[in-house]
Amino acid sequence: MVTIKWRFQWRGIFRKIRDYISWKLAQITLTIRSLTYNEHTNQSYITNVLLEPIFWIVDNLACYLGKGKMISEAASICKKCISPKPPRTHHCSVCDRCILAMDHHCPWLNNCVGYFNARYFYLYMVYMVAGVSFLIIFGVEIGYQVLWVVDTSDVTPNDDPELIGHPVRINQTGALIPVEVIEEYDAFNSPREHVLPVPAVSELQLIGANPLKRKAVIFMAVISLSVFFALGTLVVMHGKNISRGETSVESHINAKMRITHKSSFRNLYNFGRVKNWKIFLGLVQGRTFIRHVLLPSRHRPTGNGLTWPTVHNVLEDWP
């Protein structure tokens, strides 16, 4: 007779209950953290939230506190730097600092374009467009000769040059006889021999064309056209902003303001097309266009970047 004994393991049951409760608590904790945790929140988020009322007071009531107690050039306080922000100044998230008269952050230069280097940046693009335009205009003939027409520099030196007049040869007697007569005589006496036809001009081009030269011309054409269209578009776009007396950042802000405020909006820094260009290029205090624009010049921009004249308040040293 077989006797079966059932052994009840109390320790195993308690361990399973403990593991089950721990697993459920871990699930609840993970759910709560997933619903309340924001990965993009940094350490200054709470500070920005707490200081928001102070920013509002400074932006709206600082003008009534009088001058001399604070920085007179400060129009507001930057929420990122927690520092005074002059007019037309914006905070660059890439450089992590405020830029005077910020236009944009250029990834190709790895630098911001603002008050101190806006003129250098724009003239650099103009000079580049002028340079590639010169290459395109005077390189069309070279590209046409290399890619479509016979390039005499690529023809092999074994080819006979083209002669003027009737070609002649010396026979065994020493007399000069036209080539046509010799060819007819050879063809009559030896009919099995055939004279090879002279290759045409297009075939000479294919035979003597240098592949490296063709690739170099194609590469130069692609690079020149790419730079021309890319920088040419930027020159036109920034030229329109300069004519309106605004930066790229201000153009987006003013575009929204024109929609919301319609006819009541007016750009306070727009003095007219001619005067805006003079201010941007720094053509004041006796500076001329030829000496300080066409030729490289290191003269500083007009003003100090902290105070800006408006249509209601024009400074004396401005044009």
Side-chain angles (χ1 to χ4, degrees):
M1 182 176 180
V2 178
T3 304
I4 300 175
K5 295 182 179 180
W6 297 92
R7 183 176 296 178
F8 192 75
Q9 298 181 358
W10 292 95
R11 296 181 180 179
I13 281 235
F14 289 132
R15 187 182 297 108
K16 291 181 179 179
I17 294 175
R18 185 190 61 184
D19 294 341
Y20 178 79
I21 294 175
S22 300
W23 178 59
K24 286 298 181 180
L25 290 177
Q27 281 188 332
I28 295 173
T29 305
L30 180 62
T31 303
I32 295 175
R33 289 185 178 180
S34 300
L35 295 175
T36 58
Y37 180 74
N38 185 4
E39 185 179 1
H40 302 284
T41 302
N42 52 23
Q43 298 178 356
S44 61
Y45 175 76
I46 299 178
T47 305
N48 291 338
V49 173
L50 296 177
L51 293 179
E52 190 67 28
I54 299 178
F55 296 146
W56 184 89
I57 293 174
V58 173
D59 291 339
N60 295 274
L61 301 179
C63 59
Y64 300 103
L65 299 178
K67 298 181 179 180
K69 298 180 180 180
M70 299 178 63
I71 299 177
S72 59
E73 294 84 359
S76 61
I77 292 181
C78 178
K79 299 179 181 180
K80 303 295 183 180
C81 301
I82 316 298
S83 60
K85 186 169 68 173
R88 310 187 74 176
T89 301
H90 299 277
H91 186 89
C92 177
S93 58
V94 179
C95 299
D96 195 20
R97 63 176 180 175
C98 289
I99 306 298
L100 296 176
M102 178 181 175
D103 189 273
H104 69 285
H105 182 89
C106 181
W108 306 104
L109 301 178
N110 192 24
N111 194 16
C112 270
V113 177
Y115 168 74
F116 290 101
N117 60 352
R119 177 173 59 87
Y120 303 137
F121 175 78
Y122 184 77
L123 292 181
Y124 146 76
M125 294 191 300
V126 172
Y127 296 151
M128 284 292 295
V129 172
V132 296
S133 300
F134 176 84
L135 293 177
I136 292 172
I137 293 173
F138 293 96
V140 169
E141 183 178 0
I142 299 176
Y144 180 72
Q145 294 290 337
V146 173
L147 299 178
W148 285 282
V149 185
V150 176
D151 191 359
T152 57
S153 63
D154 291 333
V155 178
T156 58
N158 296 328
D159 295 333
D160 295 332
E162 184 178 357
L163 301 178
I164 300 175
H166 298 284
V168 294
R169 291 182 182 177
I170 301 176
N171 61 358
Q172 296 178 355
T173 61
L176 296 176
I177 300 176
V179 175
E180 297 179 356
V181 178
I182 297 177
E183 290 177 353
E184 292 177 358
Y185 177 78
D186 294 339
F188 179 76
N189 292 333
S190 54
R192 295 182 179 180
E193 296 179 359
H194 299 281
V195 180
L196 295 177
V198 179
V201 174
S202 60
E203 295 175 355
L204 284 176
Q205 180 186 3
L206 294 176
I207 294 174
N210 188 355
L212 294 179
K213 188 174 182 180
R214 294 170 63 89
K215 292 179 180 179
V217 171
I218 294 174
F219 176 78
M220 181 182 65
V222 171
I223 294 298
S224 299
L225 291 175
S226 301
V227 173
F228 177 80
F229 286 109
L231 292 184
T233 304
L234 291 178
V235 167
V236 174
M237 183 184 67
H238 285 281
K240 291 181 179 179
N241 294 337
I242 296 170
S243 301
R244 294 193 295 261
E246 58 189 14
T247 62
S248 298
V249 177
E250 293 174 348
S251 65
H252 295 286
I253 298 175
N254 294 343
K256 296 180 181 179
M257 295 292 290
R258 292 187 185 97
I259 296 175
T260 56
H261 294 74
K262 296 182 180 179
S263 59
S264 62
F265 172 76
R266 182 182 180 183
N267 184 10
L268 299 179
Y269 307 108
N270 187 4
F271 299 95
R273 181 175 300 177
V274 177
K275 197 170 183 178
N276 290 335
W277 277 100
K278 287 184 178 180
I279 295 174
F280 178 78
L281 298 175
L283 298 180
V284 296
Q285 299 176 355
R287 300 191 184 102
T288 60
F289 180 81
I290 297 177
R291 293 182 58 185
H292 297 88
V293 176
L294 292 182
L295 299 178
S297 176
R298 297 178 58 185
H299 66 275
R300 293 175 59 85
T302 306
N304 55 10
L306 299 177
T307 57
W308 294 87
T310 62
V311 293
H312 305 295
N313 182 20
V314 180
L315 302 180
E316 296 180 357
D317 58 342
W318 286 66

